[in-house]
Amino acid sequence: MAAPVKLLMLENFIDGKFLPCNSYIDSYDPSTGEVYCKVPNSGKEEVHIRHSVFNMKLAMFHLSSFCHAGDESKVLHVLVKCSTPEIEAAVQAARGAFPGWSSKSPQERAQVLNRLADLLEQSLEELAQAESKDQGKTLTMARTMDIPRAVQNFRFFASSVLHHTTECTQMDHLGCLHYTVRTPVGIAGLISPWNLPLYLLTWKIAPAIAAGNTVIAKPSELTSVTAWMLCKLLDKAGVPPGVINIVFGVGPRAGEALVSHPEVPLISFTGSQPTAERITQLSAPHCKKLSLELGGKNPAIIFEDANLEECIPTTIRSSFANQGEICLCTSRIFVQKSIYSEFLKRFVEATRKWKVGIPSDPSACMGALISKEHLEKVRSYIKRARAEGAHILCGEGVDNLNLPPRNQAGYFMLPTVITDIKDESCCMKEEIFGPVTCVVPFDSEEEVIRRANGVKYGLAATVWSSNVGRIHRVAKKLQSGLVWTNCWLIRELNLPFGGMKSSGIGREGAKDSHDFFTEIKTITVKHE
């Protein structure tokens, strides 16, 4: 009889110490569908207590809602929201660490960030292995993109924090000098997603602590392992206890407790629009600063003069990289009618060569999707497209997927191309967040701009053309926070990152992140 598999047990990290939790949730290996890790289920607990309506002891409880059980019973079911010990402890730790950390010079804080970057880099292989297993992405992607970018995030903000300037003006006729200063906000609440776990967590932590804030971070409960591993490096890097606190758990418990806490004045969130709406509701009574980086329904516009030798492989990557689980992935491809047939033929051929395999396979281009539930959601879009009369040219339900026996229960699917689909279809309107893209023809420049802008999202777009004038013209008219032309995912971290419309609020980047994580103050000095 095989010995039971020992599960990895994570702990919250608060005030420089790992602390156990009373409740845990299962975390699955997406490539096998097996539980391999236990994640703390931090946050408020809800307890139902049945009392008589005349029992005055109810006044002793914090009552969040009442539900009548019937007039004849004369009882109430009372929902009592208990305290949130993990978040309260993290707030206390962050509050206590703030005076010392915020009083350090930018140079001192930068040294700590650089040491942390060095330690991450020294642990690159271990972190990449963990990220691949936890998220389902290929080990190659974790090695070459996720972990190196996490390292870069700390180094980048360690440098940029040293180069910010402030404003100064004079009013000589009144004998006044005006200048601005920027000060850290306080405790920053950071909520990061499951698709690029350490990459996007550090994209928030680095600028927050570089500016002098202390932080409470809640990673996704689906991908918590590399955040936990990061905590093991903080003391050695010289991060004082309480500066970085990480509380694990689900959104409705740990997330809501963090967002609604009155001593957390700032929330940076990357994730879905429905969750952002809830964050906005909970933050409104406290007038919190919000940075919301949400989804996209990103178009690629391919004109007849595009270089298809470069365009097709890049658009394959922009559609299916990381299993299509990147907010910047292309999910609507508009191709000018004169080259539509040629493009479609070559694109489908290239898609069939985009290998799906177990994450450790160095030849695999794509690994497993994050969860069983997400896999079913993505598949449901393909079923709806088929029901609407669209054609599935390759991928799900068309081609065979071959996997080793141990991975048969994993959350894999083939990259899928849909055509003959209307712009009004849910597959052309809603964010699928999986390896599915739709290819449709267009006639004119004006038409494709209108259709590309005809969704509620506005995060990113790509334009393919050899006409420089057209590139500038179209890029300016597209309702997208980022527009790549003849390329994809080439990032300059100094410049703003973020979307328009329902793709979010605010921007991230060197100056934008610094502005968000600080408060500006104008000081006037009257002199003789």
Side-chain angles (χ1 to χ4, degrees):
M1 184 175 180
V5 177
K6 186 177 181 180
L7 300 180
L8 181 64
M9 297 289 291
L10 306 190
E11 293 180 310
N12 291 316
F13 187 79
I14 300 172
D15 204 17
K17 299 182 288 291
F18 286 102
L19 302 173
C21 187
N22 292 328
S23 176
Y24 287 83
I25 52 180
D26 292 336
S27 183
Y28 293 80
D29 177 345
S31 72
T32 63
E34 298 171 351
V35 175
Y36 87 104
C37 178
K38 293 284 188 177
V39 177
N41 190 19
S42 309
K44 67 187 178 215
E45 294 188 12
E46 296 181 345
V47 181
H48 289 268
I49 302 177
R50 198 168 182 267
H51 275 281
S52 164
V53 292
F54 303 109
N55 188 345
M56 296 307 294
K57 290 183 180 179
L58 288 173
M60 298 172 63
F61 292 92
H62 169 65
L63 305 181
S64 63
S65 65
F66 293 83
C67 180
H68 286 283
D71 292 338
E72 64 281 353
S73 66
K74 300 297 181 183
V75 296
L76 293 172
H77 287 282
V78 181
L79 176 62
V80 180
K81 289 188 178 180
C82 298
S83 62
T84 310
E86 299 91 352
I87 294 296
E88 288 296 339
V91 168
Q92 182 177 347
R95 185 200 311 127
F98 178 74
W101 182 250
S102 60
S103 66
K104 290 184 180 295
S105 69
Q107 289 80 5
E108 289 174 309
R109 295 195 294 265
Q111 288 175 355
V112 174
L113 266 68
N114 278 319
R115 285 198 294 268
L116 186 51
D118 292 343
L119 292 170
L120 285 171
E121 192 168 50
Q122 291 166 21
S123 303
L124 190 150
E125 181 61 23
E126 182 183 2
L127 288 163
Q129 293 274 355
E131 199 78 294
S132 175
K133 184 179 183 68
D134 204 29
Q135 202 275 337
K137 66 176 76 236
T138 65
L139 183 55
T140 298
M141 172 159 276
R143 278 181 181 143
T144 59
M145 187 177 83
D146 288 65
I147 310 307
R149 175 57 190 275
V151 173
Q152 185 186 9
N153 287 339
F154 282 110
R155 287 185 177 148
F156 175 79
F157 286 106
S159 174
S160 68
V161 75
L162 304 178
H163 303 291
H164 296 294
T165 59
T166 57
E167 299 168 286
C168 178
T169 62
Q170 294 175 247
M171 297 177 68
D172 291 337
H173 63 292
L174 295 177
C176 288
L177 177 73
H178 309 272
Y179 66 96
T180 61
V181 295
R182 283 196 169 272
T183 56
V185 177
I187 302 173
L190 313 176
I191 302 176
S192 55
W194 49 256
N195 60 326
L196 301 167
L198 193 62
Y199 175 138
L200 291 177
L201 177 64
T202 56
W203 178 238
K204 298 180 184 298
I205 289 178
I209 65 172
N213 300 282
T214 54
V215 306
I216 303 170
K218 192 205 85 67
S220 169
E221 71 278 9
L222 299 178
T223 52
S224 298
V225 172
T226 50
W228 174 72
M229 294 170 69
L230 170 68
C231 296
K232 295 182 176 183
L233 305 176
L234 298 181
D235 180 63
K236 190 174 182 180
V239 180
V243 171
I244 297 176
N245 307 277
I246 297 188
V247 178
F248 300 103
V250 298
R253 287 165 59 103
E256 292 203 2
L258 175 59
V259 168
S260 60
H261 200 287
E263 292 188 63
V264 180
L266 172 156
I267 300 294
S268 176
F269 168 76
T270 298
S272 70
Q273 185 192 354
T275 303
E277 291 176 8
R278 180 62 176 157
I279 289 172
T280 304
Q281 292 168 359
L282 293 171
S283 300
H286 307 286
C287 296
K288 300 191 179 200
K289 292 183 75 173
L290 296 180
S291 173
L292 306 174
E293 199 281 284
L294 311 179
K297 193 64 183 171
N298 309 309
I301 300 173
I302 301 167
F303 288 97
E304 59 190 358
D305 59 347
N307 180 348
L308 295 187
E309 293 298 321
E310 294 182 2
C311 171
I312 289 174
T314 303
T315 307
I316 290 288
R317 189 167 63 89
S318 74
S319 300
F320 306 126
N322 204 53
Q323 304 76 245
E325 296 170 333
I326 302 177
C327 59
L328 302 168
C329 275
T330 301
S331 57
R332 297 179 295 150
I333 303 174
F334 296 92
V335 185
Q336 200 153 26
K337 193 169 289 184
S338 60
I339 62 167
Y340 179 74
S341 295
E342 179 190 359
F343 175 89
L344 193 60
K345 178 177 179 292
R346 292 170 63 176
F347 188 79
V348 170
E349 289 173 352
T351 299
R352 285 197 162 111
K353 295 176 182 177
W354 189 259
K355 182 180 176 180
V356 178
I358 61 173
S360 59
D361 181 353
S363 67
C365 303
M366 204 171 89
L369 276 70
I370 185 63
S371 68
K372 183 178 181 180
E373 293 76 15
H374 187 61
L375 175 62
E376 290 307 314
K377 174 194 166 186
V378 175
R379 284 173 170 168
S380 73
Y381 278 98
I382 299 169
K383 293 175 183 176
R384 289 157 74 182
R386 188 175 279 115
E388 292 171 355
H391 289 97
I392 316 302
L393 299 187
C394 63
E396 180 70 19
V398 176
D399 301 310
N400 294 321
L401 174 59
N402 298 312
L403 294 166
R406 184 171 183 267
N407 302 96
Q408 293 292 326
Y411 314 133
F412 296 88
M413 69 171 286
L414 291 165
T416 300
V417 178
I418 302 174
T419 191
D420 297 324
I421 192 163
K422 296 179 180 179
D423 287 1
E424 296 73 28
S425 169
C426 62
C427 293
M428 290 285 282
K429 291 283 190 182
E430 300 174 14
E431 184 179 41
I432 299 174
F433 215 64
V436 179
T437 195
C438 301
V439 186
V440 293
F442 73 90
D443 286 308
S444 68
E445 182 178 310
E446 294 75 17
E447 171 207 341
V448 76
I449 291 170
R450 173 180 53 81
R451 293 171 66 189
N453 289 338
V455 295
K456 69 178 182 178
Y457 296 106
L459 182 55
T462 58
V463 180
W464 291 87
S465 174
S466 59
N467 184 321
V468 175
R470 173 190 280 157
I471 282 173
H472 286 293
R473 193 167 58 243
V474 173
K476 188 174 181 179
K477 292 179 180 179
L478 287 172
Q479 296 170 355
S480 298
L482 302 99
V483 180
W484 284 287
T485 65
N486 299 325
C487 62
W488 179 70
L489 208 59
I490 296 176
R491 292 273 286 114
E492 161 56 272
L493 301 188
N494 283 292
L495 299 184
F497 176 91
M500 301 178 180
K501 302 192 287 188
S502 292
S503 287
I505 297 172
R507 295 293 187 270
E508 297 171 304
K511 181 179 184 300
D512 296 271
S513 292
H514 186 70
D515 288 354
F516 178 70
F517 286 112
T518 56
E519 291 283 14
I520 192 167
K521 181 185 299 184
T522 299
I523 298 172
T524 299
V525 177
K526 181 80 164 68
H527 56 84
E528 296 298 330

